[in-house]
């Protein structure tokens, strides 16, 4: 199996490679190349990761694509250059696209969350300016940009404080899943306040903190502390003590902490912190709603705008945004689907290229020279990722593998599924193995298929239980184990509708 | 004797070769992975592109047991380790062993230490281990090495609070780390078991391992069982072997046999077990595979313990089983030894059979049947009652009893006639119930009783015709 990079390299690249000296692209080993990019990114900290790409690609575009010198010149004249279609066979461009769409790439500006960010920022500014403690609770579904926004707010608060000449607060950002014990959070806060002091054994960390915050002279003159606690619901214990104490820390008279808690459930504050209501210090709640279709679209476009070429057709992006917004509004899923659509497109082009190179009579070099030219002729417009690629990627991401699996099951397993569907139609929800066996034998008899014995029947049930299609209960006697169907009846009917026998059976 | 030895040696060598092949998962799954559309290629593409592009990825491998998920994964990893020797390190976890978070982190830390030749301390706490893992991920990211996490039995990791999954997938969200998480599971809905936070961080790539189609199976069998022409075996022997094999594989009976075998489990693992058995039945004197080998393998793999029990029973015990079956057919669902004896007597009276045993002999036979587990007591309570009064039930079905009687060495044909009633009467009675013909229902039961105790053997066809006429 040839290395991936070899397929995508064209003779034109070899010319460029000799020009940009230290980048070696042969042998399918790309690590030296990566190293140069990473160190560039590390050096230029303010600009986003994709900037080095931006500098290199226009130059390379002119060199590698013989049809495009006109476009390059045109770009110099306009204010907003008309974006070219990308060349998916260019390994560098593919990499850049995937990186732009990767979940871990933090975009430079966070669109669509300005209102929420402003609210949190204002709250923090007030607290820092007045040296007052306060608590805020951020909630929302996964993938709605909460942690990302908090990162930005953190940076913005520090910048603002330095600009205003105030003492910029200390920051403690942590994820509560990494705590072995829920009460370790207090020792961490204490560690930040008094890094050199060791704790004596008598008082617990939370008690110590409370003492600290109750007396005026212990922490006078020290900075405010901004605590960002991610995945707050891991701190919920049976007696809810830890969470409660944490929020109570902000109520003490000389407290110095600004608490930002992040979690998924909207009513965490109401359900688990009822006593705060009486003290009139309930945390402010900022809800991050799930993204709507327009928001997802604008975020995707923002991410793709750092690339100097058009990758996706507009309709494809709209389809993706619509589908993801309707399903969950989760941004990670949208990014994932777009990446997978780009990969499908790449795979399709690779297959075309391999077919072309197989059909060429001459040697490999010559075919590589003629093939790209031919393809440039045929598919200049087809380089973008189209709607059908996006549709395929969406169906892969959203469809459950159940229908495919049922269609590829061996015959007797399908008959058993059918007999279960028929049996449970009457309204019963579970039955015993013995009853199911009888129903199965009846169906087999009616179609003159010899039924399998009870031992094989049990082993088939166990296999289907492993796959998650049935649920088999426990019992001493094999025949009285309880069986429930876990798949929807409609799925099974849909999967088996192609076979006449099952159609008749299930009608 | 020298010639005999020569004749034996090639077949022994061939047998060893075939058996080695069938036990080697690499060899088995390589031919199925050759096309660019196969799961092998897709998996290799995903992992190698993650390695070269330095991006994080996660993927799930789903499929029934024995469909080759771990085998294909090992093939891919082996190839990639050869291709990029210094760049990849593999951490393997199993859900059955490491589903507890502490245990899993300790195992990860230990494997990382072994890979990078560091010292592992057994007393490291959970905190230390998790910080070590995050630090290692960061270091490997800077050094452009990819860590591949293989999580077998992924559904076990989805129990509890899923902290390990969350921390692994969360670490992959940052730019500094470079990791691939591969989950292997046989549950199809395993991503529904994940918490929504974990599911959101998991990229929804799934590779489905489906059993191969019929043509693929045939090609696979031919590939695996053909001897290579350029091995140390004599050339004409190999050619003859392969020619005979081809003839067997294209025989209709063989195709039917394979279809029946694969009709209830069509995974590759299952097929390979069957082929191994068949190859082991190779007759060393003949030296070539024959259809008989496959038939013997099939019958040895489809053992029916209850049938073997029936074959060991005595005639009287069979008689008692038949009586009980007739009682069941007559809708008398709860019966005990006394009712069986009544039936026995009535058969004896009506059919004038020669053997009639005393009650205590029958009781011994009855107890034998209990010991063989062919019948059992229907209730758990009556320990104080004697054996004769407790209700019993049959543990074998009518089909099994019929088959057992047919294969019994000395079974009187007459028993089969007695049993034949069951085959069509029961569905008829059920059909009556379905169509709600109560009068005819009771008539039919009376008729059956009459027939059973009556004299003449009415041909079954006539009764069927009469019944269907009544129905229409």
């Amino acid at each position: 199996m040839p290395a991936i990079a070899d397929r995508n390299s064209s003779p034109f690249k070899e010319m460029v490679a000799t020009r940009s000296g230290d980048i070696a692209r042969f042998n399918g080993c790309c690590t030296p190349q990566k190293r140069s990019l990473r160190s560039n990114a590390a050096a230029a900290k303010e600009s986003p990761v994709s900037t080095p790409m931006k500098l290199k690609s226009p130059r390379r575009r002119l060199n590698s694509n013989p049809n495009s010198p006109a476009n390059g010149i045109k770009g110099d004249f306009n204010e907003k250059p008309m974006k070219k279609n990308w060349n998916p066979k260019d390994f560098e461009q593919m990499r850049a696209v995937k990186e732009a769409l990767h979940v871990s790439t933090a975009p430079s500006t966070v669109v669509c969350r300005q209102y929420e960010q402003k609210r949190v920022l204002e709250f923090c500014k007030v607290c820092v300016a007045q040296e007052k403690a306060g608590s805020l609770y951020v909630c929302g579904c996964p993938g709605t940009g909460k942690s990302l926004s908090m990162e930005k707010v953190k940076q913005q608060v520090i910048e603002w404080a330095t600009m205003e000449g105030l003492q910029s607060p200390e920051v403690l950002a942590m994820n509560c899943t990494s705590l072995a014990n829920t009460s370790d959070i207090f020792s961490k806060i204490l560690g930040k306040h008094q890094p050199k002091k060791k704790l004596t054994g008598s008082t617990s960390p939370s008690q110590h903190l409370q003492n600290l915050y109750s007396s005026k002279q212990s922490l006078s003159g020290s900075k405010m502390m901004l605590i960002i606690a991610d995945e707050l619901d891991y701190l919920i214990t049976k007696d809810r003590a830890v969470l409660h104490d944490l929020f109570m820390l902000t109520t003490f008279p000389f407290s110095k902490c600004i608490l930002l808690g992040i979690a998924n459930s909207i009513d965490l504050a109401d359900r688990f912190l009822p006593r705060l209501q009486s003290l009139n210090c309930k945390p402010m709640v900022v809800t991050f709603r799930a993204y709507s279709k327009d928001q997802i679209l604008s975020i995707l476009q923002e991410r793709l705008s750092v690339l100097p070429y058009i990758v996706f057709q507009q309709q494809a992006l709209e389809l993706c945004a619509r589908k993801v917004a309707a399903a969950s509004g989760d941004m990670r899923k949208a990014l994932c689907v777009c990446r997978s659509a780009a990969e499908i497109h790449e795979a399709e082009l690779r297959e075309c290229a391999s077919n072309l190179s197989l059909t060429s009579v001459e040697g490999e070099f010559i075919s590589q020279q003629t093939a790209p030219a031919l393809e440039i002729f045929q598919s200049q417009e087809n380089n973008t990722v189209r709607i059908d690629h996006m549709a395929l990627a969406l169906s892969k991401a959203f469809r459950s593998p159940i229908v495919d699996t049922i269609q590829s099951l061996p015959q007797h397993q399908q008959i058993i599924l059918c007999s279960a569907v028929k049996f449970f139609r009457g309204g019963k929800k579970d039955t015993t193995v013995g009853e199911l066996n009888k129903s199965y034998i009846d169906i087999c008899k009616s179609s003159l298929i010899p039924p399998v014995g009870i031992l094989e029947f049990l082993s088939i049930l166990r296999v289907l239980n492993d796959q998650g299609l049935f649920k088999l209960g426990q019992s001493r006697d094999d025949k009285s184990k309880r069986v429930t169907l876990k798949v929807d009846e409609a799925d099974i009917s849909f999967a088996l509708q192609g076979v006449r026998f099952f159609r008749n059976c299930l009608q | 004797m020298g010639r005999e030895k020569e004749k034996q040696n090639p077949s022994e060598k061939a047998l060893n070769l075939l058996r080695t092949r069938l036990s080697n998962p690499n060899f088995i799954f390589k031919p199925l992975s050759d096309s660019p559309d196969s799961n092998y290629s897709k998996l290799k593409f995903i992992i190698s592109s993650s390695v070269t592009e330095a991006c994080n990825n996660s993927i799930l491998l789903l499929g029934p047991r024995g469909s080759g998920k771990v085998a294909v994964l090992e093939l891919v990893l082996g190839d990639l380790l050869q291709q990029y020797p210094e760049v990849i390190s593999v951490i393997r976890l199993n859900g059955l062993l490491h589903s507890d978070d502490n245990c899993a982190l300790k195992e990860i830390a230990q494997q990382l230490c072994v890979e990078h030749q560091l010292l592992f301390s057994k007393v490291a706490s959970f905190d230390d281990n998790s910080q070590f893992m995050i630090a290692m991920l960061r270091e490997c990211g800077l050094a452009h090495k990819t860590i591949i996490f293989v999580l077998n039995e992924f559904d076990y990791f989805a129990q509890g609070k899923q902290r390990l999954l969350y921390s692994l997938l969360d670490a992959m969200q940052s730019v500094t780390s470079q990791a691939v998480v591969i989950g292997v599971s046989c549950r199809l809905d395993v991503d529904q078991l994940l918490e929504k936070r974990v599911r959101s961080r998991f990229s929804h790539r799934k590779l489905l391992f489906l059993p191969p189609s019929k043509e693929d199976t045939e090609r696979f069998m031919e590939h695996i069982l053909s001897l290579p022409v350029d091995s140390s075996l004599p050339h004409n022997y190999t050619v003859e072997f392969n020619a005979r094999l081809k003839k067997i594989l294209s025989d209709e009976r063989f195709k039917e046999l394979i279809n029946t075998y694969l009709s209830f489990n069509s995974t590759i693992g299952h097929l390979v077990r069957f082929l191994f058995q068949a190859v082991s039945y190779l007759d060393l004197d003949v030296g070539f595979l024959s259809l008989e080998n496959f038939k013997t393998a099939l019958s040895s793999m489809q053992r029916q313990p209850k049938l073997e029990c029936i074959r060991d029973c005595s005639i009287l015990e069979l008689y008692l089983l038949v009586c009980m079956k007739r009682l069941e057919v007559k809708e008398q669902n709860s019966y005990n030894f006394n009712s069986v004896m009544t039936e026995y007597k009535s058969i004896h009276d009506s059919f004038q059979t020669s053997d009639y045993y005393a009650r205590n002999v029958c009781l011994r036979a009855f107890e034998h049947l209990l010991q063989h587990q062919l019948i059992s007591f229907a209730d758990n309570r009556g320990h104080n009652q004697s054996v004769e009064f407790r209700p019993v039930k049959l543990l074998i079905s009518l089909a099994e009893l019929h088959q057992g009687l047919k294969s019994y060495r000395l079974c009187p044909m007459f028993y089969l006639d007695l049993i034949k009633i069951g085959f069509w009467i029961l569905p008829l009675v059920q059909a009556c119930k379905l169509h709600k013909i109560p009068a005819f229902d009771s008539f039919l039961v009376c008729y059956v009783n009459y027939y059973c105790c009556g004299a003449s053997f009415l041909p079954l066809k006539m009764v069927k015709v009469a019944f269907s006429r009544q129905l229409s």
Side-chain angles (χ1 to χ4, degrees):
Chain A
M1 179 120 183
I4 310 294
D6 286 342
R7 276 254 180 253
N8 287 332
S9 62
S10 59
F12 303 106
K13 260 218 239 169
E14 278 148 45
M15 286 193 301
V16 180
T18 52
R19 262 185 239 209
S20 30
D22 53 338
I23 301 179
R25 221 162 324 207
F26 300 100
N27 310 330
C29 175
C30 303
T31 32
Q33 184 183 29
K34 259 193 334 226
R35 205 167 282 142
S36 62
L37 280 179
R38 279 260 170 104
S39 45
N40 280 350
K45 253 195 180 164
E46 282 84 34
S47 57
V49 180
S50 43
T51 320
M53 282 319 308
K54 217 175 182 172
L55 291 173
K56 289 190 184 142
S57 351
R59 220 174 48 222
R60 198 178 305 126
R61 299 258 76 244
L62 285 172
N63 288 333
S64 63
N65 207 330
N67 286 357
S68 62
N71 268 348
I73 299 174
K74 199 192 286 183
D76 290 341
F77 283 94
N78 296 348
E79 269 284 4
K80 243 189 181 173
M82 176 121 91
K83 283 195 173 176
K84 278 197 70 320
N85 287 345
W86 70 320
N87 182 6
K89 285 200 284 300
D90 187 353
F91 180 67
E92 271 306 313
Q93 293 185 25
M94 192 61 169
R95 223 175 72 91
V97 168
K98 286 203 194 158
E99 205 169 317
L101 287 175
H102 199 270
V103 182
S104 58
T105 321
S108 50
T109 52
V110 180
V111 286
C112 303
R113 288 299 179 203
Q114 286 99 343
Y115 170 66
E116 287 90 351
Q117 273 187 299
K118 205 156 66 86
R119 274 188 79 188
V120 180
L121 191 59
E122 288 305 320
F123 172 79
C124 291
K125 282 183 191 174
V126 163
C127 286
V128 172
Q130 299 176 2
E131 295 227 342
K132 197 172 62 125
S135 59
L136 181 105
Y137 171 63
V138 174
C139 61
C141 292
T144 42
K146 301 185 294 291
S147 307
L148 196 63
S149 305
M150 292 302 114
E151 279 293 313
K152 295 282 179 233
V153 162
K154 187 175 81 173
Q155 289 166 2
Q156 286 170 350
V157 163
I158 296 183
E159 283 169 9
W160 172 83
T162 13
M163 241 176 27
E164 292 285 309
L166 298 168
Q167 261 191 337
S168 65
E170 298 239 353
V171 178
L172 172 65
M174 68 179 143
N175 196 315
C176 298
T177 50
S178 58
L179 298 170
N181 254 331
T182 44
S183 43
D184 284 348
I185 188 169
F186 297 115
S187 25
K188 282 209 172 153
I189 301 178
L190 202 58
K192 251 336 196 142
H193 268 305
Q194 300 168 330
K196 304 232 174 45
K197 197 160 167 192
K198 281 252 163 158
L199 204 55
T200 54
S202 52
T203 46
S204 70
S206 94
Q207 201 57 33
H208 202 87
L209 269 175
Q210 288 174 8
N211 294 342
L212 214 58
Y213 285 152
S214 312
S215 55
K216 182 158 182 166
Q217 57 271 36
S218 48
L219 287 177
S220 60
S222 67
K223 303 184 187 182
M224 297 296 289
M225 168 152 345
L226 181 63
I227 305 174
I228 305 182
D230 218 342
E231 311 294 353
L232 206 58
D233 44 339
Y234 273 100
L235 290 181
I236 297 178
T237 51
K238 235 179 181 178
D239 55 351
R240 306 170 188 170
V242 177
L243 199 61
H244 193 261
D245 284 341
L246 185 63
F247 275 90
M248 284 288 279
L249 281 179
T250 56
T251 61
F252 288 106
F254 301 104
S255 169
K256 292 245 173 196
C257 60
I258 310 171
L259 180 63
L260 301 179
I262 309 178
N264 289 131
S265 45
I266 297 189
D267 55 351
L268 191 94
D270 296 326
R271 267 195 302 151
F272 295 104
L273 308 167
R275 281 184 270 171
L276 291 181
Q277 170 92 9
S278 55
L279 290 168
N280 209 15
C281 47
K282 262 183 83 160
M284 190 166 103
V285 177
V286 177
T287 316
F288 276 59
R289 293 232 154 72
Y291 286 120
S292 69
K293 162 186 163 276
D294 299 316
Q295 287 176 324
I296 296 185
L297 195 56
S298 58
I299 294 178
L300 285 174
Q301 279 165 343
E302 159 76 28
R303 280 210 179 210
L304 292 171
S305 67
V306 296
L307 303 166
Y309 31 80
I310 304 179
V311 185
F312 290 88
Q313 263 187 358
Q314 186 63 16
Q315 294 100 313
L317 283 180
E318 273 185 29
L319 176 67
C320 171
R322 202 182 296 253
K323 190 80 196 263
V324 173
S328 57
D330 185 344
M331 198 60 220
R332 290 190 185 110
K333 195 142 189 178
L335 291 171
C336 197
V337 167
C338 291
R339 282 182 71 201
S340 133
E343 279 172 9
I344 292 175
H345 185 56
E346 182 191 357
E348 192 185 88
L349 285 175
R350 240 177 340 129
E351 231 178 282
C352 282
S354 70
N355 288 344
L356 265 174
S357 59
L358 278 174
T359 55
S360 78
V361 185
E362 294 132 64
E364 212 176 321
F365 271 1
I366 307 181
S367 77
Q368 272 189 348
Q369 284 195 351
T370 54
L374 269 174
E375 282 177 43
I376 286 172
F377 265 126
Q378 317 170 343
S379 57
Q380 185 64 286
E381 324 79 36
N382 290 350
N383 273 339
T384 52
V385 178
R386 296 186 304 272
I387 277 201
D388 46 340
H389 300 129
M390 189 61 83
L392 190 58
L394 280 168
S395 75
K396 267 197 203 170
F398 280 103
R399 193 176 57 173
S400 85
I402 294 220
V403 170
D404 279 332
T405 318
I406 295 182
Q407 281 174 340
S408 66
L409 284 179
Q411 187 190 37
H412 278 283
Q413 296 189 5
Q414 286 174 333
I415 299 180
I416 292 181
L417 273 179
C418 270
S419 60
V421 166
K422 263 186 126 168
F423 200 90
F424 291 127
R425 256 193 198 154
K428 285 179 77 161
K429 281 305 156 212
D430 69 344
T431 181
T432 60
V433 172
E435 296 287 316
L436 194 62
N437 193 14
K438 281 199 201 140
S439 160
Y440 161 73
I441 290 179
D442 288 334
I443 294 188
C444 280
K445 276 222 194 103
S446 68
S447 52
L448 302 174
I449 302 176
V452 297
I454 184 71
L455 281 181
E456 276 102 3
F457 184 78
L458 276 172
S459 73
I460 292 180
L461 279 185
R462 244 174 271 137
V463 165
L464 291 175
N465 173 43
D466 274 342
Q467 291 192 275
L469 297 169
F470 275 134
K471 186 164 154 65
L472 213 52
Q474 299 285 354
S475 169
R476 271 179 305 155
D477 183 17
D478 274 338
K479 277 206 172 154
S480 56
K481 289 192 183 171
R482 305 218 61 96
V483 180
T484 340
L485 192 61
K486 285 187 83 173
V487 186
D488 205 21
E489 180 189 322
D491 283 336
I492 300 180
S493 318
F494 176 71
L496 294 175
Q497 66 186 4
V499 183
R500 194 160 53 101
F501 165 66
F502 293 116
R503 252 206 319 263
N504 296 341
C505 202
L506 285 173
Q507 79 197 176
Chain B
M1 192 175 111
R3 263 184 81 190
E4 244 185 64
K5 238 187 157 177
E6 263 178 28
K7 206 175 164 215
Q8 278 223 348
N9 271 341
S11 40
E12 266 182 25
K13 271 199 246 175
L15 183 61
N16 285 340
L17 176 73
L18 287 177
R19 283 208 277 218
T20 328
R21 269 190 193 175
L22 286 168
S23 325
N24 182 2
N26 276 356
F27 191 87
I28 295 171
F29 286 98
K30 238 184 161 22
L32 292 170
S33 313
D34 272 340
S35 68
D37 211 16
S38 67
N39 283 331
Y40 168 85
S41 330
K42 288 187 203 164
L43 187 61
K44 189 160 181 192
F45 175 64
I46 292 179
I47 302 184
S48 55
S49 63
S50 317
V51 170
T52 50
E53 291 169 12
C55 62
N56 300 323
N57 247 327
S58 47
I59 185 169
L60 264 184
L61 304 180
L62 301 174
R65 292 197 195 276
S67 43
K69 305 183 289 288
V70 175
V72 168
L73 179 64
E74 292 296 330
L75 266 179
V76 169
L77 287 178
D79 287 343
L80 286 177
L81 279 170
Q82 274 188 341
Q83 211 177 354
Y84 306 108
E86 294 296 319
V87 185
I88 300 182
S89 49
V90 182
I91 308 280
R92 288 188 176 90
L93 293 175
N94 193 312
L96 292 168
L97 299 169
H98 308 128
S99 62
D100 177 38
D101 296 320
N102 286 337
C103 198
L105 266 178
K106 195 164 172 175
E107 181 68 25
I108 292 179
Q110 188 170 25
Q111 289 193 17
L112 279 173
C113 286
V114 167
E115 282 270 342
H116 299 267
Q117 279 118 23
L118 299 164
L119 278 179
F120 172 68
S121 146
K122 285 197 195 151
V123 296
S125 68
F126 177 81
D127 241 345
D128 294 337
N129 282 336
S130 67
Q131 289 194 5
F132 173 66
M133 181 179 88
I134 297 180
M136 279 304 281
L137 278 172
R138 206 176 32 237
E139 285 302 315
C140 288
L142 287 174
H144 303 288
K145 290 179 113 188
T146 313
I147 306 187
I148 301 183
F149 290 93
V150 176
L151 301 173
N152 261 321
E153 313 291 345
F154 192 71
D155 39 321
Y156 285 96
F157 284 109
Q159 292 170 350
K161 276 193 156 186
Q162 302 179 6
R163 275 186 14 173
L164 172 72
L165 286 180
Y166 180 86
S167 39
L168 271 183
L169 291 173
D170 203 37
M172 284 179 25
Q173 303 265 294
S174 66
V175 199
T176 52
S177 58
Q178 212 172 308
V180 180
V181 173
I182 305 176
V184 178
S185 175
C186 60
R187 274 192 76 149
L188 299 168
D189 56 345
V190 71
D191 57 342
Q192 306 299 324
L193 295 174
L194 297 173
E195 259 194 356
K196 53 181 193 232
R197 283 182 282 222
V198 182
R199 204 184 324 151
S200 160
R201 285 172 168 75
F202 192 84
S203 81
H204 293 256
R205 283 168 213 260
K206 292 182 214 160
L207 274 185
L208 207 48
F209 280 75
L210 297 172
S213 62
K214 280 212 166 75
E215 298 82 27
D216 283 336
T217 322
E218 283 172 12
R219 245 183 298 149
F220 166 75
M221 280 194 293
E222 174 151 3
H223 173 88
I224 270 220
L225 294 175
S226 307
L227 294 174
V229 186
D230 53 348
S231 66
S232 58
L233 298 164
H235 182 77
N236 35 2
Y237 169 74
T238 320
V239 168
E240 175 77 26
F241 187 94
N242 291 345
R244 288 206 190 193
L245 180 70
K246 245 199 160 103
K247 217 163 44 131
I248 296 177
L249 289 178
S250 51
D251 191 353
E252 277 305 315
R253 291 174 293 168
F254 178 79
K255 289 194 189 172
E256 217 187 285
L257 197 126
I258 285 287
N259 279 345
T260 0
Y261 182 70
L262 292 179
S263 67
F264 66 94
N265 189 339
S266 54
T267 53
I268 290 281
H270 202 65
L271 179 64
V272 163
R273 249 174 278 151
F274 171 68
L275 291 178
F276 191 90
Q277 280 259 354
V279 161
S280 306
Y281 281 117
L282 177 73
D283 192 348
L284 286 173
D285 293 327
V286 173
F288 301 114
L289 278 175
S290 72
L291 194 58
E292 292 312 312
N293 297 137
F294 292 97
K295 283 197 186 154
T296 333
L298 185 67
S299 57
S300 78
M301 290 201 79
Q302 288 188 333
R303 284 182 59 229
Q304 313 258 31
K306 299 278 185 195
L307 281 183
E308 288 167 15
C309 259
I310 293 181
R311 264 181 238 146
D312 286 337
C313 286
S314 66
I315 297 263
L316 178 58
E317 287 161 8
L318 286 181
Y319 212 137
L320 288 178
L321 284 174
V322 166
C323 293
M324 278 190 251
K325 206 45 173 182
R326 286 167 57 99
L327 282 176
E328 259 189 23
V329 163
K330 290 190 209 168
E331 300 270 310
Q332 208 175 321
N333 278 329
S334 99
Y335 42 86
N336 57 15
F337 179 69
N338 289 331
S339 32
V340 175
M341 284 311 292
T342 329
E343 177 73 16
Y344 181 64
K345 192 157 189 314
S346 68
I347 294 186
H348 176 70
D349 291 339
S350 56
F351 291 118
Q352 311 294 325
T353 52
S354 54
D355 40 358
Y356 185 72
Y357 296 95
R359 193 185 167 88
N360 51 349
V361 179
C362 291
L363 190 57
R364 281 298 289 278
F366 194 75
E367 282 170 359
H368 266 183
L369 285 176
L370 279 170
Q371 279 174 353
H372 280 300
Q373 290 264 313
L374 288 169
I375 60 178
S376 76
F377 290 121
D379 66 345
N380 296 332
R381 287 174 281 119
H383 287 291
N384 298 326
Q385 293 179 311
S386 80
V387 174
E388 302 166 347
F389 294 105
R390 289 176 70 180
V392 293
K393 59 177 185 203
L394 266 179
L395 288 179
I396 52 175
S397 68
L398 183 58
E400 287 168 332
L401 184 58
H402 192 89
Q403 203 175 345
L405 287 176
K406 270 209 303 207
S407 57
Y408 194 79
R409 50 192 193 280
L410 298 169
C411 176
M413 286 308 293
F414 147 77
Y415 286 5
L416 289 173
D417 284 336
L418 284 180
I419 274 297
K420 260 190 207 152
I421 303 174
F423 264 132
W424 59 267
I425 271 293
L426 206 49
L428 278 183
V429 171
Q430 279 176 352
C432 271
K433 286 213 172 93
L434 197 61
H435 292 276
K436 296 195 183 39
I437 319 173
F440 192 72
D441 180 22
S442 42
F443 162 72
L444 198 59
V445 176
C446 293
Y447 180 79
V448 166
N449 281 331
Y450 176 70
Y451 174 56
C452 288
C453 308
S456 51
F457 282 92
L458 256 187
L460 307 172
K461 257 192 251 175
M462 281 184 58
V463 184
K464 256 199 219 172
V465 164
F467 175 72
S468 50
R469 236 184 273 142
Q470 276 286 1
L471 212 47
S472 50

